Amino acid sequence: MSKIEEEKSKEDAKADMKSVLQQQFCFDKNWILQLNQQKDIHDIICLICKQVANNPMEINCTQHENMDESLIVGENCLKQFLSQNPNSCPVEPHDNCLYSQGRLAKRYISELDVICPRQFEQEQEQELQMTTQQGHGEGETPGLVSCDFKGKVKQVNDHLENSCCLQMVKCWFDSFGCNHTCSKSVIHDHLTSNMKLHFDLVVKSFDTLQQTIRLYQ
């Protein structure tokens, strides 16, 4: 792979990672609950979206000093709320909401054990398909690649960017016209089985370039 292709692949990986982790402002609690108990996340649920708070913020308004429950919101959820409700508060309506970063909560969340979020999404899609098919066909889909990652929340970004076998990548010959995308683990199978196609695309691109050069001579 050339240096340009390698850099492009890294950019695609980062974009893919962002789409997985940031499609919700906070972490899907069903994903977190794959390896944790309900009691483990009771105090880190975002007040706004009811998911596990991502980059948790603590509401510190004096109006809520007597409340016993944890007043935690995800940073992005809070930003969106305040942009739509200026000078208000997500706990109850009042002016001048006070908040600060929940460092302890953030550290706690970062240490939670999780599976690969892409693997979780894949399993969710499988369950949906099985439900839609009303029980026709049992077991895992043949040929489906699985990611066996289990680690901490704080390790997920690195996993998604560098080692996840479910990472979607474009064909190395994308710039020549091959629009194929597949998981990182099977890209070499695609390259091997489509050598003639890719060769023809390169030749066609080269011929087009030659014709363009002749026009300007």
Side-chain angles (χ1 to χ4, degrees):
M1 185 188 296
S2 69
K3 188 173 182 180
I4 294 177
E5 289 172 332
E6 185 177 353
E7 290 299 320
K8 184 177 181 182
S9 179
K10 288 181 179 179
E11 290 177 3
D12 290 340
K14 290 179 180 179
D16 184 48
M17 176 187 67
K18 184 176 180 180
S19 69
V20 173
L21 288 185
Q22 297 184 359
Q23 59 185 343
Q24 290 186 327
F25 280 177
C26 291
F27 299 122
D28 187 334
K29 64 181 180 182
N30 291 318
W31 169 53
I32 299 291
L33 287 172
Q34 296 296 303
L35 298 180
N36 298 277
Q37 301 298 317
Q38 188 72 45
K39 61 181 178 61
D40 298 327
I41 65 171
H42 180 268
D43 294 327
I44 52 174
I45 296 297
C46 173
L47 291 171
I48 297 173
C49 71
K50 310 305 180 185
Q51 303 298 319
V52 175
N54 183 5
N55 200 12
M57 309 295 289
E58 294 182 9
I59 304 300
N60 306 129
C61 309
T62 56
Q63 290 88 339
H64 320 307
E65 287 180 347
N66 296 325
M67 296 184 70
D68 294 329
E69 63 182 292
S70 176
L71 303 180
I72 295 289
V73 294
E75 182 179 30
N76 288 331
C77 283
L78 181 60
K79 286 180 179 179
Q80 184 182 64
F81 175 85
L82 293 177
S83 68
Q84 297 173 351
N85 305 274
N87 298 318
S88 187
C89 174
V91 180
E92 58 186 25
H94 67 77
D95 292 337
N96 302 319
C97 179
L98 301 177
Y99 52 88
S100 61
Q101 188 176 64
R103 290 186 175 85
L104 290 178
K106 184 176 182 179
R107 189 179 307 165
Y108 176 81
I109 293 169
S110 72
E111 293 293 335
L112 290 174
D113 292 319
V114 290
I115 65 173
C116 172
R118 293 192 183 110
Q119 178 63 30
F120 172 71
E121 288 188 347
Q122 180 171 277
E123 291 173 358
Q124 294 291 100
E125 290 174 2
Q126 277 187 278
E127 290 180 9
L128 180 61
Q129 288 176 3
M130 291 179 66
T131 302
T132 304
Q133 294 170 1
Q134 297 181 344
H136 294 294
E138 298 181 355
E140 296 184 356
T141 304
L144 199 63
V145 177
S146 296
C147 177
D148 59 1
F149 169 83
K150 289 183 180 179
K152 306 293 184 182
V153 168
K154 64 183 179 182
Q155 298 170 328
V156 169
N157 280 357
D158 181 68
H159 163 70
L160 293 176
E161 185 175 354
N162 298 309
S163 60
C164 181
C165 63
L166 297 179
Q167 175 186 325
M168 297 301 291
V169 294
K170 293 182 179 180
C171 174
W172 295 358
F173 292 87
D174 172 66
S175 59
F176 294 101
C178 182
N179 298 320
H180 182 78
T181 58
C182 61
S183 61
K184 187 176 182 179
S185 61
V186 297
I187 185 64
H188 287 287
D189 293 338
H190 166 72
L191 295 172
T192 302
S193 60
N194 291 276
M195 292 178 67
K196 186 180 185 306
L197 169 64
H198 294 147
F199 178 78
D200 291 342
L201 287 173
V202 172
V203 170
K204 182 179 179 181
S205 178
F206 181 72
D207 289 342
T208 302
L209 180 60
Q210 281 189 318
Q211 292 174 12
T212 303
I213 292 174
R214 291 193 193 100
L215 288 175
Y216 289 93
Q217 285 180 339

